[in-house]
Amino acid sequence: MIVVIGLVLGLTLGWMLSPGVPPELQPYLPIAVVAALDAVFGALRALLDGIFDDKVFVVSFVFNVVVAAVIVFLGDQLGVGPQLSTGVVVVLGIRIFSNAAAIRRHLLGA
Amino acid sequence: MPDFKPQTPRPYRPAESLLDSIGAESLDPSYAAAARRRAVGGPVRWWTRVLGVVGFVMAGLILGISAQQAEARRLPAAEERQALSREIVRKAARVDSAGAELRALRAEVAERRAAALLRNGGDNTLSRLADAQVAAATVPVRGPGIVIRIDDAAGTDDAVSLDPREQEAADAGRVLDRDLQAVVNGLWASGAEAVSVGEHRLSSLSAIRAAGLAILVDYNYVLPPYEIRAIGDPAALGRALESGPVGHQLRSLRDDAGIQFSVEFSDRLHIPAAEPAQLRWAVSSALTEVSPATDPSRQGGIP
């Protein structure tokens, strides 16, 4: 469906074009990746639950990426960059697992 | 300015643990709220669909860029690793050939020296030199002696366990560097003139140490079963094994830890030379001219 097409399109574009990420943004790429994964898993779960909403997806995705980047940036300024980054990754990781479990229940009924 | 008055009274929820609340809210509650709004009947604009697709494309982009960068980082590392290992192989071959060249040159030097000593110093110097060389382990030796083979207790394997109690039990039957040291020292004390462990000749500077589970002789690994050769008076060595501390040590190792050993006497043992040590204090005995060997701060020099 359209969701998958969009994802695949983005993936291919990102891989093929390999646009250079400006060095100022480079440190935030990992955290953006985790936030993107979290948003995608959340969207998949919402789709399977039948309550998917495009606006909510985009807004929450963008907001999570921005908030995560701000937290990492703040952490770098305060000298606790790696620790805060770890915290963000842990929380997003828990959410990813939780959504993945719900998706699994939908798909496999177990 | 947002007003800080409470808006709708929220149902009281008992405090959840942080992990619970993260898990419970993993699906953004906005989805449910939006669904409720849609159920009540709100306009669905066409551009929200496009927005959604654009959002997915963006997510895919981020993932794709990150994956591509990770791939780009992997390639040079792998190439570097391969280049390094090729270099290692090349240099190891170089070391081997240099070692062979070194041995050939040393043999030539020894020949010429023997000839020169015969001419100048007479027989006495030559035999003193031979004795010194045997003592310093710089020449291979042949002669009668004994061979002791020591092995770990039957059933000792190389598996390393993370449980210290289990590891201790597994180690109980293992031959330790201490044991080899005791046997070797006992052999020296009983009159051995040359001793080797594995194929490695022991000199006065040799060390038998343990590194983890392995035993090192100087910087060489030796593996069980350990073969200790000693050249000396077979009768004296035999007596040391019967009634001396060496035999006592070996027998108690066998009885307490199950370590296996066997002894064999031989008339014609051959023990190779040790890797020559560098000369630091040697001074030439006949000062006919100033030679570099008289400078103690210079390593190496005329043997």
Side-chain angles (χ1 to χ4, degrees):
Chain A
M1 61 174 66
I2 273 200
V3 163
V4 175
I5 295 178
L7 258 184
V8 170
L9 181 66
L11 269 169
T12 351
L13 274 179
W15 183 279
M16 294 302 176
L17 293 186
S18 58
V21 177
E24 309 87 51
L25 294 182
Q26 190 63 37
Y28 304 106
L29 189 57
I31 216 79
V33 165
V34 183
L37 278 176
D38 171 52
V40 165
F41 272 85
L44 284 176
R45 179 179 175 181
L47 265 170
L48 288 170
D49 276 349
I51 54 175
F52 178 72
D53 188 86
D54 307 86
K55 202 168 81 161
V56 168
F57 167 65
V58 170
V59 168
S60 75
F61 173 30
V62 169
F63 197 72
N64 279 350
V65 168
V66 168
V67 165
V70 164
I71 291 180
V72 168
F73 171 76
L74 203 61
D76 282 339
Q77 301 308 308
L78 294 174
V80 289
Q83 288 85 340
L84 279 185
S85 178
T86 304
V88 171
V89 169
V90 163
V91 169
L92 291 175
I94 294 178
R95 287 168 55 113
I96 291 175
F97 265 104
S98 186
N99 286 330
I103 294 173
R104 178 201 81 216
R105 279 190 288 271
H106 269 293
L107 293 181
L108 302 179
Chain B
M1 267 283 286
D3 60 338
F4 293 102
K5 295 198 305 288
Q7 285 153 332
T8 48
R10 307 231 167 168
Y12 172 72
R13 268 203 314 248
E16 297 166 347
S17 84
L18 181 61
L19 286 177
D20 282 340
S21 57
I22 293 177
E25 286 212 346
S26 54
L27 183 60
D28 210 315
S30 307
Y31 281 119
R36 277 197 297 276
R37 267 203 306 278
R38 269 204 308 276
V40 180
V44 177
R45 299 187 231 279
W46 62 270
W47 49 265
T48 50
R49 210 57 304 201
V50 176
L51 198 63
V53 175
V54 166
F56 278 106
V57 171
M58 259 175 29
L61 255 179
I62 292 180
L63 296 175
I65 292 175
S66 190
Q68 197 275 333
Q69 283 192 347
E71 177 72 19
R73 273 196 299 270
R74 258 200 301 274
L75 286 178
E79 271 172 22
E80 217 175 284
R81 223 188 350 259
Q82 277 178 348
L84 275 176
S85 64
R86 273 198 301 271
E87 190 73 8
I88 288 174
V89 167
R90 231 197 339 260
K91 289 293 165 71
R94 179 88 183 79
V95 165
D96 285 340
S97 77
E101 202 179 319
L102 186 61
R103 277 190 294 278
L105 284 174
R106 282 214 173 103
E108 194 182 325
V109 164
E111 258 177 54
R112 292 182 186 225
R113 175 181 59 206
L117 281 177
L118 214 48
R119 276 198 307 271
N120 300 329
D123 218 20
N124 188 28
T125 321
L126 251 187
S127 69
R128 272 172 43 212
L129 175 64
D131 285 342
Q133 282 177 326
V134 170
T138 55
V139 287
V141 280
R142 243 192 346 253
I146 62 173
V147 179
I148 305 179
R149 288 190 182 83
I150 305 185
D151 201 356
D152 297 335
T156 308
D157 61 22
D158 283 337
V160 176
S161 160
L162 289 177
D163 177 3
R165 280 191 303 264
E166 228 176 84
Q167 184 63 43
E168 216 179 290
D171 279 345
R174 232 180 276 277
V175 176
L176 300 174
D177 54 340
R178 277 204 302 272
D179 307 325
L180 291 184
Q181 285 170 5
V183 170
V184 161
N185 287 336
L187 289 169
W188 286 122
S190 319
E193 292 168 21
V195 178
S196 76
V197 176
E199 285 298 305
H200 307 291
R201 173 80 168 278
L202 299 182
S203 72
S204 53
L205 298 176
S206 291
I208 302 179
R209 291 163 300 164
L213 287 183
I215 295 188
L216 295 168
V217 175
D218 293 324
Y219 291 106
N220 308 299
Y221 280 103
V222 286
L223 299 171
Y226 307 101
E227 184 180 281
I228 304 179
R229 300 183 178 194
I231 292 183
D233 175 12
L237 295 174
R239 270 197 302 277
L241 281 171
E242 289 288 309
S243 43
V246 181
H248 187 70
Q249 171 91 353
L250 284 171
R251 278 189 295 273
S252 71
L253 280 176
R254 179 190 56 199
D255 296 334
D256 295 338
I259 286 174
Q260 314 163 68
F261 73 91
S262 67
V263 177
E264 197 184 302
F265 288 86
S266 170
D267 281 340
R268 295 154 60 82
L269 279 184
H270 175 265
I271 297 184
E275 294 302 313
Q278 290 179 323
L279 296 178
R280 282 179 243 264
W281 308 111
V283 172
S284 78
S285 59
L287 297 175
T288 51
E289 58 187 5
V290 175
S291 63
T294 57
D295 179 8
S297 67
R298 205 182 110 103
Q299 296 187 351
I302 320 175

